[in-house]
Amino acid sequence: MYTIAFDTTAAGCSVALTQDERVLGRYVEQMDFGQAEVLIPAIQNLLNEHNLQMTDLGLLTVCVGPGSFTGVRSSISAARAFGLACPELTVGGVSA
């Protein structure tokens, strides 16, 4: 099963793509601002690198905090949007 996990709650943006328990790719960038602007392109780039679509994913995991208000909302909003767009995708949250 392919899984994508991401976090924008702290001073950075990170995304990981795994298959079963093996990390296929990751994106990590330290930044104080702008996590929301790089999150979706980072996810799309990782999927493109591995010839995957959102519909190929079985699980999406998002960090739900604690962290900055804007960072937490960015992650949760993106996860919610992906969950609505792909109803078969299981979406879950984890605490930092």
Side-chain angles (χ1 to χ4, degrees):
M1 172 173 57
Y2 290 104
T3 301
I4 199 144
F6 54 85
D7 180 13
T8 62
T9 61
C13 178
S14 57
V15 182
L17 175 65
T18 64
Q19 182 181 24
D20 299 324
E21 293 180 21
R22 185 172 46 105
V23 176
L24 298 177
R26 63 180 155 252
Y27 168 86
V28 178
E29 185 174 345
Q30 297 299 316
M31 55 179 47
D32 292 326
F33 304 101
Q35 293 93 329
E37 288 80 11
V38 300
L39 177 62
I40 303 301
I43 292 169
Q44 188 62 55
N45 289 339
L46 276 175
L47 292 174
N48 288 344
E49 287 174 13
H50 297 280
N51 298 313
L52 297 171
Q53 302 291 322
M54 285 301 292
T55 54
D56 296 322
L57 299 175
L59 176 65
L60 184 147
T61 306
V62 60
C63 183
V64 296
S68 72
F69 177 79
T70 302
V72 170
R73 294 302 301 156
S74 296
S75 283
I76 292 173
S77 296
R80 179 78 173 129
F82 287 129
L84 290 171
C86 302
E88 66 283 351
L89 180 63
T90 300
V91 177
V94 295
S95 174

